[in-house]
Amino acid sequence: MGKSKTSRYYAENPEAAEVHRAYERKRNKEPGRKEYRRKHAAARKMLGLSVGDEQDASCNKDGTFSKEGRKKNRGRNGSNGKSTKK
């Protein structure tokens, strides 16, 4: 698989990549992000999903999770950034 435009940019600009990594490290320490990861990890465990599965834990509009194919779940972005969640 080819590299994305962003990946190529960071490969060519190591200083920018380090700035980005520093921002992500700081953001991942925030309590809200930790709670988000805990919630989603628990949902994956409840659905019986593990790393490398062909299915994702898809978050529905009502806040529940369900199993859904990776391609369908990750491809649903909606036009103009609007969600088309089921």
Side-chain angles (χ1 to χ4, degrees):
M1 184 185 289
K3 286 187 172 185
S4 68
K5 192 186 284 189
T6 302
S7 179
R8 287 192 305 266
Y9 172 79
Y10 285 135
E12 294 169 6
N13 298 280
E15 299 86 15
E18 182 52 40
V19 168
H20 176 71
R21 284 192 295 269
Y23 170 77
E24 287 298 318
R25 283 192 297 268
K26 182 179 177 184
R27 181 172 184 250
N28 285 331
K29 290 179 185 177
E30 294 174 0
R33 296 307 302 169
K34 288 182 180 182
E35 180 59 34
Y36 176 89
R37 287 196 303 273
R38 274 194 296 272
K39 178 181 171 186
H40 284 74
R44 287 186 58 79
K45 188 174 182 179
M46 183 188 70
L47 292 171
L49 298 171
S50 60
V51 175
D53 281 347
E54 292 298 317
Q55 294 200 319
D56 275 345
S58 176
C59 187
N60 303 319
K61 281 186 177 180
D62 62 0
T64 61
F65 290 88
S66 62
K67 285 185 183 181
E68 185 175 30
R70 272 190 203 172
K71 188 172 182 177
K72 189 172 181 184
N73 185 36
R74 297 178 188 189
R76 184 190 313 107
N77 223 351
S79 66
N80 219 9
K82 294 179 182 171
S83 174
T84 57
K85 286 185 180 179
K86 48 185 179 163

